[in-house]
Amino acid sequence: MTSRSSRPALLAACSTPPPPGTLPEMPPGVTAPDEYAFGDDVASRDLRASGPVHDVLVEEVDAEKLRNLPLVLEVDVDAATVRDAYADELVGRGWESMPDLPAGDDAWTQGWISADGRDALVLVGLEPEAGETHVPLTVLTTLPDEAAEGS
């Protein structure tokens, strides 16, 4: 049984935002597969969409820290909801939206840069084609991989 005096501390702990140098939580409908979850045709579309964004980012941030995090987005999830979830967390950390990111005809992009300009996180999502149940959601970021940091 929880005492009344411990409830405010519990609520504060649950609502404390993550540290500014960590990846945001993945919203519902987004998963991180153990390996790339798509075939060659989709991989080619993914590369055409994310390549130009990568090229822009290497001019803005430390290219050695920039990495590609391949995620999967279920097509029945509204992409705007996913973008909003990332935006809510990053803007809450003081990050600003990155305008004028390239996007191909069959892709969308949304990005943010940290207040100090050292870190960036950009989402590159493919528009689903007929019959696809999930599509790549590529995250280009300079934020560290917490799993690698802990090893």
Side-chain angles (χ1 to χ4, degrees), residues 100-136:
D100 303 324
L101 290 168
D105 292 338
D106 62 346
W108 53 267
T109 60
Q110 178 70 48
W112 301 268
I113 193 156
S114 63
D116 63 10
R118 292 183 183 168
D119 288 304
L121 186 141
V122 177
L123 305 175
V124 181
L126 291 184
E127 296 293 342
E129 292 185 350
E132 292 179 329
T133 58
H134 55 276
V135 292

Side-chain angles (χ1 to χ4, degrees), residues 13-33:
C14 291
S15 63
T16 303
T22 60
L23 286 169
E25 292 291 321
M26 285 183 281
V30 176
T31 56

Side-chain angles (χ1 to χ4, degrees), residues 37-128:
F38 302 96
D40 292 342
D41 290 340
V42 175
S44 178
R45 286 175 39 216
D46 189 17
L47 184 58
R48 282 194 311 272
S50 63
V53 178
H54 181 274
D55 294 345
V56 167
L57 286 176
V58 296
E59 300 296 322
E60 300 291 324
V61 296
D62 182 355
E64 290 182 20
K65 287 177 49 182
L66 188 60
R67 65 191 183 94
N68 177 326
L69 178 62
L71 302 178
V72 174
L73 175 63
E74 300 301 319
V75 298
D76 60 351
V77 173
D78 183 9
T81 303
V82 171
R83 291 189 300 263
D84 289 347
Y86 279 95
D88 288 348
E89 185 166 331
L90 293 168
V91 171
R93 296 180 190 182
W95 289 40
E96 295 181 15
S97 182
M98 295 179 73
D100 303 324
L101 290 168
D105 292 338
D106 62 346
W108 53 267
T109 60
Q110 178 70 48
W112 301 268
I113 193 156
S114 63
D116 63 10
R118 292 183 183 168
D119 288 304
L121 186 141
V122 177
L123 305 175
V124 181
L126 291 184
E127 296 293 342

